[in-house]
Amino acid sequence: MISGFFGDEDSLFFEIELISSDGLELPVDALFDTGFSAWLAINNQDLDALGWTYIKQQPMFTARGEAEFELYLGKVIFGGQEYDIPVHVGEGLTEVLLGRQWLQNKRLVVDMPSSVLTLG
């Protein structure tokens, strides 16, 4: 089970590690975004240090309308487990985003009165 924490305006955050192509582990706080349907999204400026493999362009519908994202094969550590996942890379993302695909095999528990946030 992975414990998270509540941010400003009760945002849901979990710590993950982005793994660069040379094995460097970079810890980041990632915002769980239930409106994002994929696995992970990062800003294109964050990609430079990671050296991940490009897959393809992919249009997606966002809250701001349709946007073009580049899709990369990324490696992350989440809850002590390593995952190879597709990562959407785009402009203007102010947070690293975790999306709903994590809910395919993990249960999200949000209990604000008790300050409990878990994914497991």
Side-chain angles (χ1 to χ4, degrees):
M1 185 154 320
I2 305 156
S3 294
F5 62 94
F6 296 99
D8 294 339
E9 299 179 10
D10 298 322
S11 299
L12 313 177
F13 281 96
F14 293 91
E15 184 177 300
I16 65 171
E17 293 178 53
L18 306 177
I19 304 172
S20 69
S21 59
D22 61 2
L24 181 65
E25 297 174 6
L26 305 164
V28 296
D29 292 331
L31 172 67
F32 197 93
D33 182 354
T34 58
F36 176 51
S37 61
W39 292 96
L40 185 74
I42 64 172
N43 191 293
N44 57 352
Q45 292 178 344
D46 298 331
L47 179 70
D48 294 339
L50 296 168
W52 288 344
T53 303
Y54 175 79
I55 300 172
K56 66 179 181 177
Q57 288 282 117
Q58 182 175 16
M60 287 190 79
F61 186 73
T62 70
R64 297 179 185 154
E66 191 168 324
E68 282 290 322
F69 285 84
E70 293 180 340
L71 200 58
Y72 284 80
L73 179 59
K75 189 174 291 239
V76 300
I77 296 174
F78 190 25
Q81 281 189 292
E82 192 172 297
Y83 297 91
D84 292 319
I85 57 172
V87 178
H88 288 75
V89 178
E91 293 182 23
L93 297 172
T94 58
E95 303 282 352
V96 173
L97 300 178
L98 295 170
R100 287 193 314 263
Q101 284 301 310
W102 294 103
L103 299 179
Q104 294 294 328
N105 57 12
K106 297 188 183 313
R107 181 173 178 242
L108 178 64
V109 175
V110 180
D111 184 346
M112 287 183 188
S114 299
S115 296
V116 173
L117 175 60
T118 60
L119 190 61

